[in-house]
Coordinates of all heavy atoms in Angstrom, one line a residue:
M1 N 8.8 14.6 -10.1 CA 8.8 15.0 -8.7 C 7.4 14.6 -8.1 O 6.3 15.0 -8.6 CB 9.1 16.4 -8.5 CG 8.9 17.1 -7.2 SD 9.9 16.4 -5.9 CE 9.2 17.1 -4.4
V2 N 7.5 13.8 -7.0 CA 6.2 13.3 -6.4 C 5.6 14.4 -5.5 O 6.5 15.1 -4.8 CB 6.4 11.9 -5.8 CG1 7.4 12.1 -4.6 CG2 5.1 11.3 -5.3
E3 N 4.4 14.6 -5.5 CA 3.7 15.6 -4.6 C 2.6 15.0 -3.7 O 2.1 14.0 -4.1 CB 3.1 16.6 -5.4 CG 4.1 17.6 -6.1 CD 3.5 18.5 -7.2 OE1 2.2 18.6 -7.1 OE2 4.2 19.1 -7.9
R4 N 2.4 15.6 -2.7 CA 1.2 15.2 -1.9 C 0.0 15.4 -2.7 O -0.2 16.3 -3.4 CB 1.2 16.1 -0.6 CG 0.6 15.3 0.5 CD 1.0 15.9 1.9 NE 0.0 15.5 2.8 CZ -0.2 16.0 4.1 NH1 0.7 16.9 4.5 NH2 -1.0 15.6 4.9
L5 N -0.9 14.4 -2.5 CA -2.2 14.4 -3.2 C -3.0 15.7 -2.9 O -3.2 16.0 -1.7 CB -3.1 13.2 -2.8 CG -2.8 11.8 -3.4 CD1 -3.8 10.9 -2.9 CD2 -2.7 11.8 -4.9
S6 N -3.5 16.4 -3.9 CA -4.3 17.5 -3.7 C -5.7 17.1 -3.3 O -6.0 15.9 -3.4 CB -4.4 18.3 -5.1 OG -5.1 17.5 -6.0
D7 N -6.5 18.0 -2.8 CA -7.9 17.7 -2.4 C -8.7 17.1 -3.6 O -9.4 16.1 -3.5 CB -8.6 18.9 -1.9 CG -8.1 19.3 -0.5 OD1 -7.3 18.5 0.1 OD2 -8.4 20.5 -0.1
T8 N -8.5 17.7 -4.8 CA -9.1 17.2 -6.0 C -8.7 15.8 -6.3 O -9.5 14.9 -6.7 CB -8.8 18.1 -7.2 OG1 -8.7 19.5 -6.7 CG2 -9.9 18.0 -8.3
A9 N -7.4 15.5 -6.3 CA -6.9 14.2 -6.6 C -7.4 13.2 -5.6 O -7.8 12.1 -6.0 CB -5.3 14.2 -6.6
R10 N -7.5 13.5 -4.3 CA -8.1 12.7 -3.3 C -9.5 12.2 -3.7 O -9.9 11.1 -3.4 CB -8.1 13.3 -2.0 CG -6.8 13.3 -1.2 CD -6.7 14.3 -0.2 NE -5.2 14.5 0.1 CZ -4.5 13.8 1.0 NH1 -5.1 13.0 1.8 NH2 -3.3 14.1 1.1
E11 N -10.3 13.2 -4.1 CA -11.7 12.9 -4.5 C -11.8 11.8 -5.5 O -12.8 11.1 -5.5 CB -12.4 14.2 -4.9 CG -12.8 15.0 -3.7 CD -13.3 16.4 -4.2 OE1 -13.8 16.6 -5.4 OE2 -13.2 17.4 -3.4
T12 N -10.9 11.7 -6.4 CA -11.0 10.6 -7.4 C -10.2 9.4 -7.1 O -10.6 8.3 -7.3 CB -10.5 11.1 -8.8 OG1 -9.2 11.8 -8.6 CG2 -11.5 12.1 -9.4
M13 N -9.1 9.5 -6.3 CA -8.3 8.4 -6.1 C -8.6 7.5 -4.9 O -8.5 6.4 -4.9 CB -6.8 8.8 -5.9 CG -6.3 9.7 -7.0 SD -4.6 9.7 -7.3 CE -4.5 8.0 -7.9
L14 N -9.2 8.2 -3.9 CA -9.4 7.5 -2.6 C -10.7 6.6 -2.7 O -10.7 5.5 -2.2 CB -9.4 8.4 -1.4 CG -8.1 9.0 -1.0 CD1 -8.2 9.9 0.2 CD2 -7.1 7.8 -0.7
P15 N -11.8 7.1 -3.2 CA -13.1 6.3 -3.1 C -12.9 4.8 -3.6 O -13.3 3.9 -2.9 CB -14.1 7.1 -3.9 CG -13.6 8.5 -3.8 CD -12.1 8.4 -3.7
P16 N -12.3 4.6 -4.8 CA -12.1 3.2 -5.2 C -11.3 2.4 -4.2 O -11.5 1.2 -4.0 CB -11.4 3.3 -6.5 CG -11.5 4.7 -7.0 CD -11.7 5.6 -5.8
L17 N -10.2 3.0 -3.6 CA -9.4 2.3 -2.7 C -10.2 2.0 -1.4 O -10.1 0.9 -0.8 CB -8.1 3.1 -2.4 CG -7.2 3.3 -3.6 CD1 -6.1 4.2 -3.2 CD2 -6.7 1.9 -4.1
L18 N -11.0 2.9 -0.9 CA -11.7 2.7 0.3 C -12.8 1.6 0.0 O -13.1 0.7 0.9 CB -12.5 4.0 0.7 CG -11.5 5.1 1.1 CD1 -12.3 6.4 1.5 CD2 -10.5 4.7 2.1
D19 N -13.3 1.6 -1.2 CA -14.2 0.5 -1.6 C -13.6 -0.9 -1.6 O -14.3 -1.9 -1.4 CB -14.8 0.7 -3.0 CG -15.9 1.8 -3.0 OD1 -16.4 2.1 -1.9 OD2 -16.2 2.2 -4.1
S20 N -12.3 -0.9 -1.9 CA -11.6 -2.3 -1.9 C -11.0 -2.6 -0.6 O -10.2 -3.5 -0.6 CB -10.7 -2.3 -3.1 OG -9.4 -1.7 -2.7
G21 N -11.3 -1.9 0.5 CA -10.9 -2.3 1.8 C -9.8 -1.5 2.4 O -9.4 -1.8 3.5
W22 N -9.3 -0.5 1.7 CA -8.3 0.3 2.3 C -9.0 1.4 3.3 O -10.1 1.7 3.0 CB -7.5 1.1 1.3 CG -6.6 0.2 0.4 CD1 -6.9 -0.4 -0.7 CD2 -5.2 -0.2 0.7 NE1 -5.9 -1.2 -1.2 CE2 -4.8 -1.0 -0.4 CE3 -4.3 0.2 1.7 CZ2 -3.6 -1.6 -0.4 CZ3 -3.0 -0.4 1.6 CH2 -2.7 -1.2 0.6
E23 N -8.3 1.7 4.3 CA -8.9 2.7 5.3 C -7.8 3.8 5.5 O -6.7 3.5 5.5 CB -9.3 2.1 6.6 CG -8.2 1.3 7.3 CD -8.6 0.8 8.6 OE1 -9.6 1.3 9.2 OE2 -7.8 0.0 9.2
Q24 N -8.3 5.0 5.7 CA -7.4 6.1 6.1 C -7.1 6.0 7.6 O -8.0 5.8 8.4 CB -8.1 7.4 5.7 CG -8.1 7.6 4.2 CD -8.7 9.0 3.9 OE1 -9.9 9.2 3.7 NE2 -7.8 10.0 3.8
L25 N -5.9 6.3 7.9 CA -5.5 6.3 9.4 C -5.9 7.6 9.9 O -6.0 8.7 9.2 CB -3.9 6.2 9.5 CG -3.3 4.9 9.0 CD1 -1.9 4.7 9.5 CD2 -4.2 3.7 9.4
A26 N -6.3 7.6 11.2 CA -6.8 8.8 11.9 C -5.6 9.7 12.3 O -5.8 10.9 12.2 CB -7.6 8.4 13.1
D27 N -4.5 9.1 12.5 CA -3.4 9.9 13.1 C -2.3 10.3 12.1 O -1.3 11.0 12.5 CB -2.8 9.2 14.3 CG -2.3 7.8 13.9 OD1 -2.7 7.3 12.9 OD2 -1.5 7.2 14.7
R28 N -2.3 9.9 10.9 CA -1.4 10.3 9.8 C -2.0 10.1 8.5 O -3.0 9.5 8.3 CB -0.1 9.5 10.0 CG -0.2 8.0 10.1 CD 1.1 7.3 10.5 NE 2.1 7.4 9.4 CZ 2.8 6.4 9.1 NH1 2.7 5.2 9.7 NH2 3.7 6.5 8.2
D29 N -1.4 10.9 7.5 CA -1.9 10.8 6.2 C -1.4 9.5 5.4 O -0.4 9.6 4.8 CB -1.5 12.1 5.4 CG -2.2 12.3 4.1 OD1 -3.3 11.6 3.9 OD2 -1.6 13.0 3.2
A30 N -2.1 8.5 5.7 CA -1.7 7.2 5.2 C -2.9 6.2 5.0 O -4.0 6.6 5.6 CB -0.7 6.5 6.2
I31 N -2.8 5.2 4.3 CA -3.9 4.2 4.1 C -3.4 2.9 4.6 O -2.1 2.5 4.5 CB -4.4 4.1 2.7 CG1 -3.3 4.0 1.7 CG2 -5.3 5.4 2.4 CD1 -3.8 3.7 0.3
R32 N -4.3 2.0 5.0 CA -3.9 0.7 5.6 C -4.9 -0.4 5.1 O -6.1 -0.1 5.0 CB -3.9 0.7 7.1 CG -3.6 -0.7 7.7 CD -3.5 -0.6 9.3 NE -4.8 0.0 9.8 CZ -5.0 0.6 10.9 NH1 -3.9 0.9 11.7 NH2 -6.2 1.1 11.3
K33 N -4.4 -1.6 4.9 CA -5.2 -2.7 4.5 C -4.6 -4.0 5.0 O -3.4 -4.1 4.9 CB -5.5 -2.7 3.0 CG -6.4 -3.9 2.6 CD -6.8 -3.8 1.1 CE -7.6 -5.0 0.6 NZ -7.9 -4.9 -0.8
T34 N -5.4 -4.9 5.5 CA -4.9 -6.2 5.9 C -5.3 -7.2 4.8 O -6.5 -7.4 4.5 CB -5.4 -6.6 7.3 OG1 -4.8 -5.7 8.2 CG2 -4.9 -8.1 7.7
F35 N -4.3 -7.9 4.2 CA -4.5 -9.0 3.3 C -4.4 -10.3 4.0 O -3.5 -10.5 4.8 CB -3.5 -8.9 2.2 CG -3.6 -7.6 1.3 CD1 -3.0 -6.5 1.7 CD2 -4.2 -7.6 0.1 CE1 -3.1 -5.3 1.0 CE2 -4.3 -6.5 -0.7 CZ -3.8 -5.3 -0.2
E36 N -5.4 -11.2 3.7 CA -5.3 -12.5 4.3 C -5.2 -13.6 3.3 O -5.8 -13.5 2.2 CB -6.6 -12.7 5.1 CG -6.6 -13.8 6.1 CD -7.8 -13.9 7.0 OE1 -8.3 -12.8 7.4 OE2 -8.3 -15.0 7.3
F37 N -4.3 -14.6 3.6 CA -4.0 -15.6 2.7 C -4.3 -17.0 3.3 O -4.6 -17.1 4.5 CB -2.5 -15.5 2.2 CG -2.2 -14.2 1.6 CD1 -1.8 -13.2 2.4 CD2 -2.4 -14.0 0.3 CE1 -1.5 -11.9 1.8 CE2 -2.2 -12.7 -0.3 CZ -1.7 -11.7 0.5
E38 N -4.1 -18.0 2.5 CA -4.3 -19.4 3.0 C -3.4 -19.8 4.1 O -3.7 -20.4 5.0 CB -4.3 -20.3 1.8 CG -4.8 -21.7 2.1 CD -5.4 -22.3 0.8 OE1 -5.9 -21.5 0.0 OE2 -5.4 -23.5 0.7
D39 N -2.1 -19.4 3.8 CA -1.1 -19.8 4.8 C 0.1 -18.9 4.8 O 0.1 -18.0 4.0 CB -0.7 -21.3 4.6 CG -0.3 -21.6 3.2 OD1 0.1 -20.6 2.5 OD2 -0.4 -22.7 2.7
F40 N 1.1 -19.2 5.5 CA 2.3 -18.3 5.5 C 3.0 -18.3 4.2 O 3.5 -17.2 3.8 CB 3.3 -18.8 6.6 CG 4.6 -18.1 6.6 CD1 4.7 -16.8 7.1 CD2 5.7 -18.7 6.1 CE1 5.9 -16.1 7.1 CE2 7.0 -18.0 6.1 CZ 7.0 -16.7 6.6
V41 N 3.2 -19.5 3.5 CA 3.9 -19.5 2.3 C 3.2 -18.7 1.3 O 3.9 -17.9 0.5 CB 4.1 -21.0 1.9 CG1 4.7 -21.0 0.4 CG2 5.0 -21.7 2.8
T42 N 1.9 -18.7 1.2 CA 1.2 -17.9 0.2 C 1.4 -16.4 0.5 O 1.5 -15.6 -0.3 CB -0.3 -18.3 0.2 OG1 -0.4 -19.7 0.2 CG2 -1.0 -17.7 -1.0
A43 N 1.3 -16.1 1.8 CA 1.4 -14.7 2.2 C 2.8 -14.2 1.8 O 3.0 -13.1 1.3 CB 1.2 -14.5 3.7
F44 N 3.8 -15.0 2.1 CA 5.2 -14.6 1.9 C 5.5 -14.5 0.4 O 6.2 -13.6 -0.1 CB 6.2 -15.5 2.6 CG 7.5 -14.8 2.9 CD1 7.7 -14.0 3.9 CD2 8.5 -15.0 2.0 CE1 8.9 -13.3 4.2 CE2 9.8 -14.4 2.2 CZ 10.0 -13.5 3.3
G45 N 4.9 -15.4 -0.4 CA 5.1 -15.4 -1.9 C 4.5 -14.0 -2.4 O 5.1 -13.4 -3.3
W46 N 3.3 -13.7 -1.9 CA 2.7 -12.4 -2.3 C 3.6 -11.2 -1.9 O 3.8 -10.2 -2.7 CB 1.3 -12.3 -1.6 CG 0.5 -11.0 -1.9 CD1 -0.2 -10.8 -3.0 CD2 0.5 -9.9 -1.2 NE1 -0.7 -9.6 -2.9 CE2 -0.3 -8.9 -1.8 CE3 1.1 -9.5 0.1 CZ2 -0.6 -7.6 -1.3 CZ3 0.9 -8.2 0.6 CH2 0.1 -7.3 -0.1
M47 N 4.2 -11.3 -0.7 CA 5.0 -10.1 -0.3 C 6.2 -10.1 -1.2 O 6.7 -9.0 -1.6 CB 5.5 -10.4 1.2 CG 4.4 -10.2 2.2 SD 4.9 -10.6 3.9 CE 5.7 -9.0 4.3
T48 N 6.7 -11.2 -1.6 CA 7.9 -11.2 -2.5 C 7.6 -10.6 -3.8 O 8.4 -9.8 -4.3 CB 8.4 -12.7 -2.7 OG1 8.6 -13.3 -1.4 CG2 9.7 -12.8 -3.5
R49 N 6.4 -10.9 -4.4 CA 6.0 -10.3 -5.6 C 5.8 -8.8 -5.5 O 6.2 -8.0 -6.3 CB 4.8 -11.0 -6.2 CG 5.2 -12.4 -6.8 CD 4.0 -13.1 -7.4 NE 3.1 -13.6 -6.4 CZ 1.8 -13.4 -6.3 NH1 1.2 -12.6 -7.3 NH2 1.0 -13.9 -5.4
A50 N 5.2 -8.5 -4.4 CA 4.9 -7.0 -4.1 C 6.3 -6.3 -3.9 O 6.4 -5.1 -4.4 CB 4.1 -6.8 -2.8
A51 N 7.2 -6.9 -3.3 CA 8.5 -6.3 -3.1 C 9.2 -5.9 -4.4 O 9.9 -4.9 -4.4 CB 9.4 -7.2 -2.2
L52 N 9.0 -6.7 -5.4 CA 9.6 -6.5 -6.7 C 9.1 -5.2 -7.3 O 9.9 -4.4 -7.9 CB 9.5 -7.6 -7.7 CG 10.1 -9.0 -7.2 CD1 9.8 -10.1 -8.2 CD2 11.7 -8.8 -7.0
F53 N 7.8 -4.9 -7.1 CA 7.2 -3.7 -7.7 C 7.6 -2.6 -6.8 O 7.9 -1.5 -7.3 CB 5.7 -3.8 -7.7 CG 5.2 -4.6 -8.8 CD1 4.8 -6.0 -8.7 CD2 5.1 -4.1 -10.1 CE1 4.4 -6.7 -9.8 CE2 4.7 -4.8 -11.2 CZ 4.3 -6.2 -11.0
A54 N 7.7 -2.8 -5.5 CA 8.1 -1.6 -4.6 C 9.5 -1.2 -5.0 O 9.8 0.0 -5.0 CB 8.1 -2.1 -3.1
E55 N 10.4 -2.2 -5.2 CA 11.8 -1.8 -5.5 C 11.8 -1.2 -7.0 O 12.6 -0.2 -7.1 CB 12.6 -3.1 -5.5 CG 14.1 -2.9 -5.6 CD 14.6 -2.0 -4.5 OE1 14.0 -1.7 -3.5 OE2 15.8 -1.5 -4.7
K56 N 11.1 -1.7 -7.9 CA 11.1 -1.2 -9.3 C 10.6 0.3 -9.2 O 11.2 1.1 -9.9 CB 10.2 -2.0 -10.2 CG 10.1 -1.5 -11.6 CD 9.6 -2.7 -12.5 CE 8.1 -2.4 -12.8 NZ 7.6 -3.5 -13.8
W57 N 9.6 0.6 -8.4 CA 9.1 1.9 -8.3 C 9.7 2.8 -7.3 O 9.3 4.0 -7.1 CB 7.5 1.9 -8.1 CG 6.8 1.2 -9.3 CD1 7.2 1.2 -10.5 CD2 5.5 0.6 -9.2 NE1 6.3 0.5 -11.3 CE2 5.2 0.1 -10.5 CE3 4.6 0.4 -8.2 CZ2 4.0 -0.5 -10.8 CZ3 3.4 -0.3 -8.5 CH2 3.1 -0.7 -9.8
N58 N 10.7 2.3 -6.5 CA 11.3 2.9 -5.5 C 10.3 3.5 -4.5 O 10.4 4.7 -4.1 CB 12.2 4.0 -6.0 CG 13.1 4.6 -4.9 OD1 13.5 3.8 -4.0 ND2 13.5 5.8 -4.9
H59 N 9.3 2.7 -4.2 CA 8.3 3.1 -3.3 C 7.9 1.9 -2.4 O 7.3 0.9 -2.9 CB 7.0 3.6 -4.1 CG 6.1 4.4 -3.2 ND1 6.4 5.6 -2.6 CD2 4.8 4.1 -2.7 CE1 5.4 6.0 -1.8 NE2 4.5 5.1 -1.9
H60 N 8.2 2.0 -1.1 CA 8.1 0.9 -0.3 C 7.1 0.9 0.8 O 6.9 2.0 1.5 CB 9.6 0.7 0.4 CG 10.6 0.6 -0.6 ND1 11.3 1.7 -1.2 CD2 11.2 -0.4 -1.2 CE1 12.2 1.4 -2.1 NE2 12.2 0.0 -2.1
P61 N 6.4 -0.2 1.0 CA 5.3 -0.2 2.0 C 6.0 -0.4 3.4 O 7.0 -0.8 3.6 CB 4.6 -1.5 1.7 CG 5.6 -2.4 1.0 CD 6.6 -1.5 0.3
E62 N 5.1 0.1 4.4 CA 5.4 -0.2 5.8 C 4.5 -1.5 6.0 O 3.3 -1.4 5.8 CB 4.9 0.9 6.8 CG 5.7 2.1 6.6 CD 5.1 3.3 7.4 OE1 4.4 3.0 8.4 OE2 5.3 4.4 7.0
W63 N 5.0 -2.6 6.4 CA 4.1 -3.8 6.4 C 4.6 -4.7 7.5 O 5.7 -4.8 7.9 CB 4.0 -4.5 5.1 CG 5.2 -4.9 4.4 CD1 6.5 -4.9 4.8 CD2 5.3 -5.5 3.1 NE1 7.4 -5.3 3.9 CE2 6.7 -5.7 2.8 CE3 4.3 -5.8 2.1 CZ2 7.1 -6.3 1.6 CZ3 4.8 -6.3 0.9 CH2 6.1 -6.5 0.6
T64 N 3.6 -5.5 8.0 CA 3.9 -6.6 9.0 C 3.2 -7.8 8.6 O 2.1 -7.8 8.0 CB 3.5 -6.2 10.4 OG1 2.0 -5.9 10.4 CG2 4.2 -5.0 11.0
N65 N 3.9 -8.9 8.9 CA 3.3 -10.2 8.6 C 3.2 -11.1 9.8 O 4.1 -11.2 10.6 CB 4.2 -10.9 7.5 CG 4.0 -12.4 7.4 OD1 4.9 -13.2 7.6 ND2 2.8 -12.8 7.1
V66 N 2.0 -11.6 10.0 CA 1.8 -12.6 11.0 C 1.2 -13.8 10.4 O 0.0 -13.7 10.0 CB 0.9 -12.0 12.2 CG1 0.7 -13.1 13.3 CG2 1.6 -10.8 12.8
Y67 N 1.9 -14.9 10.3 CA 1.4 -16.1 9.6 C 0.7 -15.8 8.3 O 1.5 -15.7 7.3 CB 0.5 -16.9 10.6 CG 0.0 -18.2 9.9 CD1 0.9 -19.1 9.4 CD2 -1.3 -18.5 9.9 CE1 0.5 -20.3 8.8 CE2 -1.8 -19.7 9.3 CZ -0.9 -20.6 8.8 OH -1.4 -21.7 8.2
N68 N -0.6 -15.9 8.2 CA -1.2 -15.7 6.9 C -1.7 -14.3 6.6 O -2.5 -14.1 5.7 CB -2.3 -16.7 6.7 CG -3.5 -16.5 7.7 OD1 -3.3 -15.9 8.7 ND2 -4.7 -16.9 7.3
R69 N -1.3 -13.4 7.4 CA -1.9 -12.0 7.3 C -0.7 -11.0 7.0 O 0.3 -11.1 7.7 CB -2.6 -11.5 8.5 CG -4.0 -12.0 8.6 CD -4.7 -11.6 9.7 NE -5.7 -12.6 10.0 CZ -6.6 -12.5 11.0 NH1 -6.5 -11.5 11.8 NH2 -7.5 -13.4 11.1
V70 N -1.0 -10.1 6.1 CA 0.0 -9.0 5.9 C -0.8 -7.7 6.0 O -1.8 -7.4 5.3 CB 0.6 -9.1 4.5 CG1 1.7 -8.0 4.3 CG2 1.2 -10.5 4.2
T71 N -0.4 -6.8 7.0 CA -1.0 -5.6 7.1 C 0.0 -4.5 6.5 O 1.2 -4.5 6.8 CB -1.2 -5.2 8.6 OG1 -2.1 -6.1 9.2 CG2 -1.8 -3.8 8.8
V72 N -0.6 -3.8 5.5 CA 0.2 -2.8 4.7 C -0.3 -1.4 5.1 O -1.4 -1.1 5.0 CB 0.0 -3.1 3.3 CG1 0.9 -2.1 2.4 CG2 0.3 -4.6 2.9
I73 N 0.7 -0.5 5.4 CA 0.5 0.9 5.4 C 1.2 1.6 4.3 O 2.4 1.3 4.1 CB 0.9 1.5 6.8 CG1 0.0 0.9 7.9 CG2 0.8 3.0 6.8 CD1 0.4 1.3 9.3
L74 N 0.4 2.4 3.6 CA 1.1 3.2 2.5 C 1.0 4.7 2.8 O 0.0 5.2 3.1 CB 0.4 2.9 1.2 CG 0.4 1.4 0.7 CD1 -0.4 1.3 -0.6 CD2 1.8 0.9 0.5
T75 N 2.2 5.3 2.6 CA 2.3 6.7 2.7 C 3.7 7.1 2.0 O 4.5 6.2 1.7 CB 2.3 7.3 4.1 OG1 2.2 8.7 4.1 CG2 3.5 6.8 4.9
T76 N 3.8 8.3 1.7 CA 5.0 8.7 1.0 C 5.9 9.6 1.9 O 5.6 10.7 2.2 CB 4.7 9.5 -0.3 OG1 3.9 8.6 -1.1 CG2 6.0 9.9 -1.1
H77 N 6.9 9.0 2.4 CA 7.7 9.7 3.5 C 8.3 11.0 3.0 O 8.4 12.0 3.7 CB 8.8 8.7 4.0 CG 8.2 7.3 4.4 ND1 8.5 6.2 3.7 CD2 7.4 7.1 5.4 CE1 7.8 5.2 4.3 NE2 7.1 5.7 5.3
D78 N 8.7 11.0 1.7 CA 9.4 12.1 1.1 C 8.5 13.4 1.1 O 9.0 14.5 1.1 CB 9.8 11.9 -0.3 CG 11.0 10.8 -0.4 OD1 11.6 10.5 0.7 OD2 11.2 10.3 -1.5
V79 N 7.2 13.2 1.1 CA 6.3 14.3 1.1 C 5.4 14.4 2.4 O 4.6 15.3 2.5 CB 5.3 14.4 -0.1 CG1 6.2 14.4 -1.4 CG2 4.4 13.2 -0.2
G80 N 5.6 13.4 3.3 CA 4.9 13.5 4.6 C 3.4 13.2 4.4 O 2.5 13.7 5.2
G81 N 3.0 12.4 3.4 CA 1.6 12.1 3.3 C 1.4 11.3 2.0 O 2.3 10.8 1.3
L82 N 0.1 11.2 1.6 CA -0.2 10.3 0.5 C 0.1 11.0 -0.8 O -0.1 12.3 -1.0 CB -1.7 10.1 0.5 CG -2.2 9.1 1.5 CD1 -3.8 9.2 1.7 CD2 -1.8 7.7 1.3
S83 N 0.6 10.3 -1.8 CA 0.9 10.7 -3.1 C 0.3 9.7 -4.1 O -0.2 8.7 -3.8 CB 2.4 10.8 -3.4 OG 3.0 9.5 -3.5
Q84 N 0.5 10.1 -5.4 CA 0.1 9.2 -6.5 C 0.7 7.8 -6.4 O 0.1 6.8 -6.8 CB 0.4 9.8 -7.8 CG -0.1 11.2 -8.1 CD -1.4 11.1 -8.9 OE1 -2.0 10.0 -9.2 NE2 -2.0 12.3 -9.2
L85 N 1.9 7.8 -5.8 CA 2.7 6.5 -5.8 C 1.9 5.5 -4.8 O 2.0 4.3 -5.0 CB 4.0 6.7 -5.3 CG 5.1 7.4 -6.3 CD1 6.4 7.7 -5.6 CD2 5.2 6.4 -7.5
D86 N 1.3 6.1 -3.8 CA 0.6 5.2 -2.8 C -0.6 4.6 -3.5 O -0.9 3.5 -3.3 CB 0.2 6.0 -1.6 CG 1.4 6.5 -0.8 OD1 2.3 5.7 -0.5 OD2 1.6 7.7 -0.7
A87 N -1.3 5.4 -4.3 CA -2.5 4.9 -5.0 C -2.1 3.9 -6.0 O -2.7 2.8 -6.1 CB -3.2 6.0 -5.7
K88 N -1.0 4.1 -6.7 CA -0.5 3.2 -7.7 C -0.1 1.9 -7.0 O -0.4 0.8 -7.5 CB 0.8 3.8 -8.4 CG 1.4 3.0 -9.5 CD 2.6 3.8 -10.0 CE 3.4 2.9 -11.0 NZ 4.6 3.7 -11.5
L89 N 0.7 1.9 -5.9 CA 1.1 0.7 -5.2 C -0.1 0.0 -4.6 O -0.2 -1.3 -4.7 CB 2.1 1.0 -4.2 CG 2.8 -0.2 -3.5 CD1 3.5 -1.2 -4.5 CD2 3.9 0.3 -2.5
A90 N -1.1 0.7 -4.1 CA -2.3 0.1 -3.5 C -3.0 -0.7 -4.6 O -3.5 -1.8 -4.3 CB -3.2 1.2 -2.9
R91 N -3.2 -0.1 -5.8 CA -3.9 -0.8 -6.9 C -3.1 -2.1 -7.2 O -3.7 -3.1 -7.5 CB -4.1 0.1 -8.1 CG -5.1 1.2 -7.8 CD -5.4 2.0 -9.2 NE -4.4 2.7 -9.7 CZ -4.1 4.0 -9.5 NH1 -5.0 4.7 -8.8 NH2 -3.1 4.6 -10.0
K92 N -1.8 -2.0 -7.3 CA -1.0 -3.1 -7.7 C -1.2 -4.3 -6.6 O -1.3 -5.4 -6.9 CB 0.5 -2.7 -7.8 CG 1.4 -3.9 -8.1 CD 1.0 -4.7 -9.3 CE 1.4 -3.9 -10.6 NZ 1.0 -4.8 -11.8
L93 N -1.1 -3.9 -5.3 CA -1.2 -4.9 -4.2 C -2.6 -5.6 -4.4 O -2.7 -6.8 -4.1 CB -1.1 -4.3 -2.9 CG 0.4 -3.7 -2.6 CD1 0.4 -3.0 -1.2 CD2 1.4 -4.7 -2.9
D94 N -3.6 -4.8 -4.7 CA -5.0 -5.4 -4.8 C -5.0 -6.4 -6.0 O -5.8 -7.3 -6.0 CB -6.1 -4.3 -5.0 CG -6.4 -3.6 -3.8 OD1 -6.2 -4.2 -2.7 OD2 -6.9 -2.5 -3.8
A95 N -4.2 -6.1 -7.0 CA -4.3 -6.9 -8.2 C -3.4 -8.1 -8.2 O -3.6 -9.1 -8.9 CB -3.9 -6.1 -9.4
L96 N -2.4 -8.1 -7.3 CA -1.4 -9.2 -7.3 C -2.1 -10.5 -6.9 O -2.9 -10.6 -6.0 CB -0.3 -8.9 -6.3 CG 0.8 -8.1 -6.8 CD1 1.9 -7.9 -5.7 CD2 1.6 -8.7 -8.0
Ligands
H2B101 C1 16.0 7.7 -1.0 C2 14.9 6.9 -1.6 O1 14.7 7.2 -2.9 C3 13.6 7.3 -0.8 O2 13.8 7.2 0.5 C4 12.4 6.6 -1.3 C5 12.4 5.1 -1.0 N1 11.1 4.5 -0.8 C6 10.1 5.2 -0.4 N2 9.0 4.7 0.0 C7 7.9 5.4 0.5 N3 6.8 4.7 0.9 N4 8.0 6.7 0.6 C8 9.1 7.4 0.2 O3 9.1 8.6 0.3 C9 10.2 6.6 -0.3 N5 11.2 7.2 -0.6

C-alpha cells in the first residue's frame, strides 16, 4: 500500500532530487522537471522508454512534450501527494 511521504521520508528523499533539478510545486504536493534533448525523436524515444517503466510500476507521469523538451510532473493521485513511487520514478527518469 502506497502512502504519502512522511516528513522524515521527505527529508531524505527530496534533497537529492532537488539537487538534480526537480522542483516542488507551490500549489500542490508534486515535483516537476523539464528534460531537454537534442531533437524531437530523441525526446520521444526517451518518453517511450520512460513509459515502459511507468506501466511496469503502474505509476504514470503527468507530462507534456514540445519538440525537444519534456516537462514532467510527478505526484501520486491515489494518496493526493508525493509517495515513494514518485521518488522512484524521478530517479529512473534521471537515469534513463
Ligand atoms: C487504477 C490504477 O492502479 C491507478 O489509477 C494508478 C495508475 N497510475 C498512477 N499514477 C500516478 N502518478 N498516481 C497514481 O495514483 C496512479 N494510480
Side-chain angles (χ1 to χ4, degrees):
M1 172 60 191
V2 64
E3 288 170 12
R4 208 160 158 189
L5 285 183
S6 67
D7 288 346
T8 326
R10 276 160 203 268
E11 279 170 26
T12 48
M13 311 208 65
L14 287 180
L17 294 175
L18 300 179
D19 281 349
S20 80
W22 292 89
E23 57 176 343
Q24 287 185 270
L25 299 194
D27 56 343
R28 46 192 294 224
D29 189 23
I31 52 173
R32 176 178 58 209
K33 180 173 176 178
T34 296
F35 294 83
E36 197 170 322
F37 302 91
E38 191 146 330
D39 54 23
F40 174 73
V41 169
T42 315
F44 203 82
W46 179 85
M47 291 176 82
T48 304
R49 286 183 285 126
L52 296 177
F53 284 97
E55 189 58 16
K56 182 161 99 177
W57 295 338
N58 192 33
H59 194 64
H60 302 86
E62 300 174 21
W63 54 7
T64 53
N65 161 238
V66 179
Y67 181 51
N68 66 333
R69 276 182 209 180
V70 183
T71 298
V72 182
I73 293 175
L74 298 178
T75 190
T76 301
H77 307 113
D78 293 343
V79 301
L82 288 168
S83 75
Q84 303 267 1
L85 288 173
D86 298 304
K88 181 180 172 181
L89 188 55
R91 286 192 295 266
K92 176 57 74 178
L93 297 181
D94 280 340
L96 277 179

